[in-house]
Amino acid sequence: MASSRLNKGLLICVLLAMLPGCGSKAQDQSSESETSTQTDSAGKSSSVAATGIDPATYAGRFQIKLTKEAPLRDIPVPFTVYGGLEESSSTRLRLRAFIDLRGLQEKAPQILTGPLEESCKRQIYLEVRDVTAIDETVKVEGSARAQFTRCNRREEPGIRYFGTTVDAVAVARAEVKGQCLTFSIESVDLSPRGFIGAVSNLFGLTNRINEAVLEKGGEFLAKHPVCPPLPEEFSVLDPIYESGGTREIAPGGMGAAVVGSADVSAETIVKVLGGLKELGVLEFAQ
């Protein structure tokens, strides 16, 4: 038992050392990530709470803060991860994390706006105007411009026979899959504009647009999950995310809570120490 506690204590110190602020090479990365820890009178560490984020969502004996940028559809998106660590078993640490996704929320219109479908029969262009978190869901507001055409002999768009623009409100939610958050569309509400919109309703074209948004939008989100950014050195910890999803950072801010665990066996600690040696954070006697 004393050995397992020593392993955990050593690994936690190692985790904190792996973050910027310890060693010359780590300090070079300070522009990409940061960590903040404090210790209370009971000997437990706590971090300064971020605006609007409940500290209980990432509570633990030790807490860390990590800020990094990660590309999503070739667009750099800033993420901040608040993590809490505590004992789970003799070989694993319990992880509680809250991910501030307000940077993603701000970039979402730029990331999501674009062609949704470009077949010879139907071309749909999606324009996203606003993204708002509501409790455990995300509301996406925008419009969809659809054009219906006949296919020519080369299976390309030919003669256009109808076009319309509809206002769209979609509700999405994220869940943990593997080591990422995968978003899915729960519902779409379309409001056709004017007389042409009424005609599209009459001929069932609005339903076809709705089906396309659900299908093609769902495919896009499934191909672009949000994976919490962690230093490469954390990979040997074999983190397993067990549950989590989107959460509102009041008012209307987008975030996500994740619960999981990480490997803290003696073999893992040796691998972490080896990685720290390569980083120049630790020195070993010859």
Side-chain angles (χ1 to χ4, degrees), residues 171-189:
V171 176
R173 185 189 300 268
E175 62 177 335
V176 171
K177 290 186 178 181
Q179 295 185 354
C180 299
L181 288 166
T182 300
F183 284 82
S184 60
I185 301 175
E186 290 195 336
S187 64
V188 177
D189 183 20

Side-chain angles (χ1 to χ4, degrees), residues 73 105-114 116 125-132 139-144 168 170 220:
R73 208 179 186 184
Q105 182 178 7
E106 181 181 352
K107 299 287 183 70
Q110 182 183 356
I111 294 171
L112 298 176
T113 293
L116 191 63
Y125 183 89
L126 182 65
E127 180 180 355
V128 174
R129 293 190 298 269
D130 187 58
V131 175
T132 307
K139 182 174 73 172
V140 181
E141 298 179 83
S143 61
F220 173 84

Side-chain angles (χ1 to χ4, degrees), residues 137-278:
T137 63
V138 178
K139 182 174 73 172
V140 181
E141 298 179 83
S143 61
R145 186 173 72 249
Q147 179 172 282
F148 296 87
T149 54
R150 300 188 186 280
C151 296
N152 60 26
R153 293 180 179 179
R154 295 188 299 273
E155 294 297 312
E156 297 173 344
I159 299 175
R160 169 182 164 176
Y161 64 88
F162 194 80
T164 185
T165 299
V166 297
D167 293 316
V169 177
V171 176
R173 185 189 300 268
E175 62 177 335
V176 171
K177 290 186 178 181
Q179 295 185 354
C180 299
L181 288 166
T182 300
F183 284 82
S184 60
I185 301 175
E186 290 195 336
S187 64
V188 177
D189 183 20
L190 301 181
S191 301
R193 296 178 181 177
F195 174 75
I196 297 299
V199 173
S200 68
N201 266 345
L202 181 64
F203 288 94
L205 299 180
T206 301
N207 286 336
R208 289 166 64 180
I209 298 173
N210 186 85
E211 292 171 0
V213 172
L214 284 171
E215 178 185 354
K216 301 299 180 180
E219 289 177 0
F220 173 84
L221 293 176
K223 291 179 181 177
H224 296 84
V226 175
C227 304
L230 294 174
E232 293 181 5
E233 296 77 22
F234 275 55
S235 61
V236 297
L237 301 178
D238 188 26
I240 298 175
Y241 302 129
E242 301 158 0
S243 63
T246 42
R247 302 288 186 272
E248 181 181 6
I249 304 174
M254 188 166 68
V258 177
V259 177
S261 63
D263 178 30
V264 291
S265 63
E267 180 182 359
T268 298
I269 294 175
V270 171
K271 289 180 180 179
V272 172
L273 291 174
L276 291 177
K277 179 181 179 182
E278 293 181 2

Side-chain angles (χ1 to χ4, degrees), residues 44-104:
K44 295 184 178 182
S45 65
S46 62
S47 59
V48 179
T51 304
I53 299 177
D54 183 1
T57 58
Y58 56 91
R61 285 189 60 194
F62 296 85
Q63 295 178 331
I64 59 175
K65 175 185 176 183
L66 176 67
T67 299
K68 297 192 72 175
E69 275 193 352
L72 187 59
R73 208 179 186 184
D74 297 326
I75 296 174
V77 178
F79 294 92
T80 300
V81 180
Y82 300 87
L85 306 171
E86 62 185 10
E87 298 178 3
S88 175
S89 69
S90 60
T91 59
R92 298 196 74 82
L93 281 176
R94 172 65 58 188
L95 303 177
R96 288 188 178 89
F98 193 93
I99 310 168
D100 190 338
L101 297 175
R102 285 176 286 192
L104 172 61

